Amino acid sequence: MAKEKLLLLDGNSLAYRAFFALPPLTNDSGIHTNASYGFTMMLQKIVEEEQPTQMLVAFDAGKTTFRHESFGEYKGGRQKTPPELSEQFPYIRKLIDAYNIKRYELDLYEADDIIGTLAKQAEAGGSEVIIVSGDKDLTQLSSDNVTVYITRKGITDIEKYTPAHIEEKYGLTPAQIIDMKGLMGDASDNIPGVPGVGEKTAIKLLKEYGSVEALYEAIDGMKASKMKEKLVENEDSAHLSKKLATIFTEAPIEITLDDLAYAGPNEDALLAVWQELGFKSLIEKSDMQSTAQEQEDIQLNIVADVTTAMLKDTMALHVELENEHYHSCDMLGIAVTNGEDATYIPVEIALKSDAFKAWLEDASKKKYIVDSKATQAILARYDIQLAGVAFDLLLASYIVNPAISGDDVAALAKEFGYTNVQANEVVYGKGAKWTVPETGVLADHISRKAIALWHLQSVVEKKLKDNEQYDLYHDLELPLAEILGKMEIEGISVDVEILKQMGEALQEKLTVIEQSIYELAGEEFNINSPKQLGVILFDKLGLPVLKKTKTGYSTAADVLEKLQSEHDIVKHILDYRQLAKLQSTYIEGLTKEVHAKDGKVHTRFQQALTATGRLSSTDPNLQNIPIRLEEGRKIRQAFVPSKEGWVLFAADYSQIELRVLAHMCQDPVLVEAFKEGMDIHTRTAMDVFGVTNPDEVTANMRRTAKAVNFGIIYGISDYGLSQNLDIPRKKAAEFIESYLQSFPGVKGYMENIVADARRDGFVTTILNRRRYLPDINSSNFNLRSFAERTAMNAPIQGSAADIIKKAMIDMDIRLQKEGLQAKLLLQVHDELIFEAPAEEIEILERIVPEVMESAIELAVPLKVDYSHGHSWYDAK
DNA sequence: GTCTTCACG
DNA sequence: ACGTACGTGAAGACC
């Protein structure tokens, strides 16, 4: 058996070292991270360099130790641990646990004693021992088999204390280190020693006499001096100090060396802690290392022709794309498999094969795919209508846990313990270095993805079934992917000429406002730069600073609105901002996205991204087209039907989230209000303000009630409401209190859902979508509060997402059944946008609300409003 | 790449 | 005492 190598770390000492060696870093949540970071860096380095077979981190247990029995003032007068450091200890423990390193502390004993005891045991067993600390006391443990590493300035710079090194440095043996301490004392531990004796004197004395005991035996013969007087005077102190400095190597520890085996970190757990602490550089580095791991060999056959014999009834299919823009990018290669041997089909071979096209389009041939919508969309560009999608790894993983990151097969596979596939970054590189490798490497990579898919289908489906989420995945997300694919491929027509004219008018206005701003400021500057703008407003013009950001003055709209009366320039800046946003994002940005071949934009709906189950939309984002202000709303005039004689038809759920809330909490007042079709904000205002007649509710009361309702959905907090309404926090708290009094069912729901989250670690939606909340039991107030609000919000927002997704599937079926030409084009969270021949509008007005309102039956009715017009603007 | 701001539900 | 409303994406500035 190879020799054991034991690494013993002094947890407290190293945490202190890291804390004081690094500047005060904090992460996004405001937690200090310098000690955690320094500790991690040190661990990484030492483990990498030493490759230990056993490891332990020892901590000091509490305030009192056995040393206090002989000397009450031991470690007295110490500065209290800074709170910035104290708050990091829980994370340091988490880090150690994630590394799968044993940690230990023992009542009445210090870390030194645990380390000393284990070092002796291990040495006796023939192991090599390395001790790491910031405290030189430990060097007394140095021997032929025990090396003590002491951190020098910084954290990763260490000095290695072997007996030889100690001899060279001090001219002493390791055991004499204790004697040295006894004579010179230690200010940090409040060990007195002999006053007037420092390191130099102590070393000189020990070289001459050997030990404290020998020195005092011979002291009579010492020639009279000031030093001799001091030594005689403080003999007791010297003996006591030596005793205090002696590390006890027979501590009654309850662990044995066998408990300390070290076999590497739990990478998932470690990444999770790094994520929590915001160690981005470490996360990136680890991705590279862990994914560049050794791969098992695979068998692959690169074919020059596709035959029907190669294509089975059930196969994993992977179409590798150049990038995520599947509406415009190229394919790089294709692989299929139904076992360990993959068939790699070069793109040009695949595209000219009728057999392959027939197989892809055959619904009875089942395919396991990683992103079926992307595959559907790119094949559609080559006139291939993908059918028979039986498994989608991207969607299945997302349902198991929406927090699972990325669409890279390697990352997803790793979540389920499969590692025989490389990360894209490893194969292609990233950023400017991105490049397609030679065919052999590429074929291997793509084939591995297909093989991974083949393996993961059963693994992930089992997980879904265990979690009772298979139906959500199979009956909702999977069919929805195809519908979204159709919507994206269809696209929506944009009248570029309208955008162009708007842009020109906008530019004229912007130029005028720009001039006014420069005039009022007395100089030209970049209005788009919050930094430069801050200087003008707050330094030059002397406006009051109401809010600051991390980096300087805040110039956000809510701040500027409060400053409007202070200076004329403010209004101009607000106007400029509004128009500049329209110009850059919606006129210029949108125009760039219009495809030349069909005059349409083809967004991509991200189906496996949000934490709650909603969709998101990119390139362009069609879920945030302006509507609230008239100037912006006009952008919608550019969204038009694709054919002459067609119109746009829009239908949206009214108050869907509050209805979901009513359903889930079963609050009688809320349920009744919806059943009776009351205006919910007015109803809320009546209860919050104690008014019995709806006519007595003023516009302002309703506005306040509306804000309170939003607050309830978001996970209420008095502070948030006070910001939103610009009222004192106390006032906001009263509104909330009043609301919860009036709606006890809501109060009960909020309490229960947080309790559920604490118990289960996740919350669920109506269709059993999960959101995990790892911070729900955190000792950090911010993290915990955020998790609590999320626990309240996620089931509401997520259930609303479930409902509209179900409606989209039902709607797709219904349109086919009715034999309509109408097409669903967009989804905007609570709204569906169709285009249809004008003559179908009458039917749509009947069936769209019917289908949407009956998508999922709740304890309250769902209500849908609808309209149509010759542009999106007119469908209001 | 990160920060700030602002568009939407 | 703490310090925040929930969920997104895009653009521009600045490092």
Side-chain angles (χ1 to χ4, degrees):
Chain A
M1 192 180 117
K3 195 172 173 182
E4 298 278 13
K5 189 167 185 178
L6 171 64
L7 196 52
L8 295 164
L9 297 104
D10 182 345
N12 291 75
S13 163
L14 293 172
Y16 265 86
R17 268 293 162 131
F19 179 76
F20 289 109
L22 294 174
L25 314 164
T26 52
N27 69 3
D28 294 346
S29 326
I31 303 166
H32 287 81
T33 56
N34 54 344
S36 312
Y37 186 72
F39 197 91
T40 307
M41 295 303 289
M42 198 219 54
L43 260 184
Q44 289 280 107
K45 179 160 185 263
I46 200 97
V47 171
E48 164 81 27
E49 282 178 5
E50 303 298 339
Q51 302 284 329
T53 58
Q54 298 171 316
M55 276 184 88
L56 173 115
V57 182
F59 284 96
D60 298 336
K63 269 188 130 68
T64 48
T65 71
F66 72 89
R67 289 183 176 83
H68 288 88
E69 286 171 24
S70 44
F71 184 53
E73 290 87 56
Y74 180 64
K75 290 200 173 177
R78 268 206 175 179
Q79 292 279 321
K80 200 172 168 292
T81 307
E84 293 84 359
L85 174 57
S86 299
E87 70 179 21
Q88 298 186 60
F89 276 106
Y91 293 97
I92 291 174
R93 292 199 183 87
K94 266 197 193 179
L95 281 163
I96 294 166
D97 293 346
Y99 273 101
N100 285 329
I101 298 171
K102 187 89 184 164
R103 56 183 167 81
Y104 190 65
E105 56 187 53
L106 181 62
D107 272 350
L108 301 180
Y109 292 87
E110 294 180 62
D112 292 4
D113 304 313
I114 298 167
I115 290 173
T117 304
L118 281 164
K120 277 276 181 294
Q121 289 180 6
E123 192 181 13
S127 299
E128 182 186 352
V129 180
I130 291 166
I131 293 167
V132 189
S133 177
D135 183 353
K136 285 193 181 138
D137 279 11
L138 274 298
T139 56
Q140 65 184 268
L141 296 169
S142 171
S143 74
D144 288 347
N145 300 309
V146 180
T147 310
V148 183
Y149 291 6
I150 301 297
T151 55
R152 276 198 283 227
K153 61 173 187 257
I155 32 165
T156 49
D157 187 12
I158 48 175
E159 188 172 2
K160 299 181 180 180
Y161 286 82
T162 57
H165 183 70
I166 294 169
E167 166 67 30
E168 191 186 319
K169 186 163 171 153
Y170 301 117
L172 302 176
T173 64
Q176 285 177 310
I177 296 285
I178 315 173
D179 296 280
M180 181 169 91
K181 259 311 191 25
L183 293 172
M184 66 184 274
D186 183 338
S188 75
D189 285 347
N190 205 29
I191 295 178
V194 177
V197 175
E199 186 178 301
K200 288 272 158 58
T201 316
I203 291 171
K204 201 185 84 190
L205 289 167
L206 289 170
K207 278 188 178 167
E208 192 176 339
Y209 298 98
S211 71
V212 170
E213 291 75 16
L215 179 141
Y216 280 104
E217 268 172 37
I219 197 148
D220 293 343
M222 196 186 284
K223 69 174 195 255
S225 71
K226 193 92 184 169
M227 189 179 73
K228 182 179 173 184
E229 275 175 41
K230 289 270 185 196
L231 284 168
V232 173
E233 213 172 292
N234 294 286
E235 183 174 351
D236 288 349
S237 171
H239 288 299
L240 173 65
S241 297
K242 178 173 174 179
K243 191 176 158 197
L244 290 172
T246 304
I247 290 172
F248 187 55
T249 57
E250 281 163 26
I253 54 173
E254 297 138 343
I255 42 170
T256 68
L257 292 167
D258 295 338
D259 299 329
L260 308 184
Y262 176 74
N266 173 345
E267 294 194 11
D268 290 347
L270 191 55
L271 276 173
V273 187
W274 286 356
Q275 200 84 49
E276 196 178 354
L277 289 166
F279 293 172
K280 289 181 188 126
S281 58
L282 280 167
I283 291 169
E284 264 175 40
K285 233 167 76 189
S286 81
D287 277 352
M288 293 295 288
Q289 284 174 354
S290 58
T291 47
Q293 60 190 246
E294 284 292 301
Q295 301 282 310
E296 288 168 32
D297 284 345
I298 59 161
Q299 290 296 315
L300 76 96
N301 185 19
I302 301 180
V303 298
D305 188 24
V306 186
T307 65
T308 46
M310 294 173 187
L311 303 166
K312 315 295 183 194
D313 287 350
T314 304
M315 292 191 103
L317 161 71
H318 184 66
V319 178
E320 181 83 340
L321 305 184
E322 202 181 13
N323 56 49
E324 68 271 30
H325 300 95
Y326 50 74
H327 293 306
S328 57
C329 76
D330 288 330
M331 295 185 250
L332 295 180
I334 299 170
V336 291
T337 184
N338 64 343
E340 301 306 319
D341 307 348
T343 302
Y344 179 80
I345 312 169
V347 176
E348 61 279 8
I349 306 289
L351 289 178
K352 67 181 187 198
S353 166
D354 291 337
F356 191 47
K357 176 175 157 77
W359 181 80
L360 288 169
E361 294 187 333
D362 186 342
S364 71
K365 308 292 183 190
K366 301 300 176 197
K367 290 110 187 161
Y368 301 163
I369 302 181
V370 66
D371 180 353
S372 60
K373 174 159 65 68
T375 310
Q376 169 195 356
I378 195 147
L379 291 176
R381 286 168 46 208
Y382 297 93
D383 198 29
I384 297 169
Q385 314 307 318
L386 177 69
V389 176
F391 175 70
D392 187 320
L393 177 62
L394 181 68
L395 296 177
S397 306
Y398 176 66
I399 295 306
V400 168
N401 182 357
I404 291 178
S405 57
D407 57 355
D408 191 359
V409 175
L412 297 174
K414 202 159 165 253
E415 293 286 341
F416 299 97
Y418 183 92
T419 54
N420 204 21
V421 52
Q422 302 267 31
N424 281 334
E425 200 180 314
V426 174
V427 177
Y428 300 108
K430 68 165 178 177
K433 290 189 203 137
W434 190 92
T435 170
V436 179
E438 49 142 325
T439 310
V441 175
L442 183 70
D444 178 81
H445 180 53
I446 295 171
S447 298
R448 283 174 190 281
K449 289 191 179 185
I451 293 170
L453 277 166
W454 182 256
H455 276 102
L456 288 168
Q457 181 266 343
S458 55
V459 176
V460 185
E461 286 196 353
K462 175 169 190 315
K463 182 82 185 162
L464 287 166
K465 284 172 183 160
D466 289 347
N467 290 356
E468 297 186 334
Q469 293 184 300
Y470 185 77
D471 292 350
L472 170 63
Y473 154 75
H474 187 264
D475 301 340
L476 194 85
E477 299 294 351
L478 203 54
L480 181 68
E482 192 187 342
I483 294 168
L484 291 170
K486 288 196 285 188
M487 292 161 64
E488 295 177 11
I489 293 162
E490 183 63 40
I492 183 166
S493 293
V494 172
D495 188 330
V496 196
E497 192 52 38
I498 293 180
L499 289 181
K500 194 175 159 217
Q501 284 172 17
M502 284 180 181
E504 283 162 9
L506 220 42
Q507 196 50 56
E508 280 179 32
K509 282 192 184 175
L510 278 166
T511 309
V512 173
I513 299 172
E514 209 176 291
Q515 286 311 314
S516 313
I517 291 172
Y518 294 155
E519 208 167 295
L520 287 164
E523 63 179 286
E524 295 200 1
F525 65 102
N526 187 345
I527 308 169
N528 289 318
S529 163
K531 197 177 166 189
Q532 293 183 36
L533 180 60
V535 172
I536 297 286
L537 293 181
F538 304 110
D539 291 338
K540 187 164 183 189
L541 300 178
L543 298 180
V545 179
L546 303 179
K547 197 164 98 181
K548 289 196 142 201
T549 66
K550 248 183 258 172
T551 49
Y553 308 120
S554 170
T555 66
D558 63 328
V559 176
L560 296 185
E561 271 159 29
K562 288 177 188 146
L563 293 172
Q564 280 197 73
S565 59
E566 303 275 341
H567 200 290
D568 290 343
I569 198 172
V570 179
K571 175 69 183 141
H572 287 102
I573 289 165
L574 284 166
D575 289 343
Y576 179 88
R577 280 257 179 90
Q578 191 203 329
L579 301 183
K581 175 86 178 180
L582 292 177
Q583 185 75 302
S584 66
T585 305
Y586 297 103
I587 302 289
E588 292 166 2
L590 195 56
T591 304
K592 278 184 219 150
E593 294 290 342
V594 177
H595 288 218
K597 68 176 192 312
D598 60 4
K600 290 177 170 182
V601 288
H602 301 266
T603 189
R604 282 176 296 123
F605 288 107
Q606 304 290 341
Q607 198 186 346
L609 186 147
T610 71
T612 54
R614 275 189 176 182
L615 302 175
S616 85
S617 158
T618 59
D619 304 308
N621 180 354
L622 295 180
Q623 292 182 319
N624 73 344
I625 302 300
I627 190 165
R628 290 171 192 170
L629 299 172
E630 179 56 26
E631 294 96 317
R633 190 173 199 157
K634 289 204 160 61
I635 299 283
R636 294 179 173 228
Q637 292 172 340
F639 289 86
V640 294
S642 62
K643 297 185 187 73
E644 197 65 38
W646 284 43
V647 289
L648 291 180
F649 180 90
D652 69 290
Y653 283 109
S654 162
Q655 306 297 352
I656 188 166
E657 292 188 337
L658 283 174
R659 288 172 200 265
V660 166
L661 173 65
H663 168 81
M664 296 203 289
C665 75
Q666 301 278 328
D667 181 276
V669 183
L670 207 52
V671 170
E672 201 53 32
F674 279 122
K675 280 189 175 166
E676 286 173 11
M678 286 189 70
D679 177 305
I680 197 62
H681 299 316
T682 303
R683 172 74 247 184
T684 307
M686 286 164 63
D687 288 302
V688 169
F689 293 99
V691 170
T692 46
N693 189 335
D695 298 339
E696 293 172 58
V697 174
T698 64
N700 206 32
M701 285 158 75
R702 187 178 180 281
R703 190 180 69 89
T704 304
K706 189 173 172 178
V708 172
N709 277 328
F710 272 105
I712 294 293
I713 291 168
Y714 294 157
I716 197 78
S717 83
D718 51 9
Y719 182 86
L721 183 63
S722 76
Q723 287 295 298
N724 188 290
L725 286 173
D726 200 15
I727 56 172
R729 219 188 65 212
K730 212 166 157 226
K731 195 87 190 147
E734 285 170 27
F735 286 144
I736 293 166
E737 182 56 31
S738 173
Y739 178 96
L740 294 175
Q741 290 269 317
S742 309
F743 300 96
V746 176
K747 190 177 185 201
Y749 163 78
M750 295 298 177
E751 288 164 0
N752 287 337
I753 198 83
V754 171
D756 288 354
R758 283 195 215 296
R759 187 194 60 219
D760 301 330
F762 61 85
V763 290
T764 57
T765 66
I766 288 178
L767 295 187
N768 223 11
R769 189 186 303 279
R770 288 185 179 188
R771 177 166 185 182
Y772 287 89
L773 301 167
D775 294 328
I776 195 78
N777 292 312
S778 170
S779 57
N780 179 292
F781 177 88
N782 279 335
L783 291 177
R784 191 177 63 247
S785 303
F786 185 68
E788 287 168 359
R789 291 197 296 275
T790 310
M792 298 186 242
N793 169 264
I796 299 173
Q797 194 182 117
S799 296
D802 291 349
I803 292 170
I804 194 164
K805 283 178 168 179
K806 174 70 163 39
M808 292 167 77
I809 292 168
D810 293 348
M811 203 62 235
D812 185 66
I813 295 168
R814 185 67 179 270
L815 287 177
Q816 285 181 42
K817 193 176 137 214
E818 302 269 350
L820 297 173
Q821 292 175 265
K823 291 188 177 77
L824 178 56
L825 300 182
L826 300 176
Q827 186 253 45
V828 191
H829 309 307
D830 64 353
E831 176 183 21
L832 297 178
I833 292 112
F834 303 82
E835 67 172 3
E839 57 272 21
E840 287 184 6
I841 290 303
E842 220 175 294
I843 313 170
L844 290 182
E845 287 179 331
R846 181 164 53 78
I847 66 170
V848 172
E850 182 191 317
V851 169
M852 287 174 74
E853 287 173 0
S854 58
I856 292 180
E857 195 178 339
L858 302 185
V860 295
L862 286 170
K863 181 163 172 270
V864 169
D865 298 320
Y866 53 88
S867 62
H868 66 276
H870 288 94
S871 75
W872 195 0
Y873 178 89
D874 299 302
K876 63 177 175 186

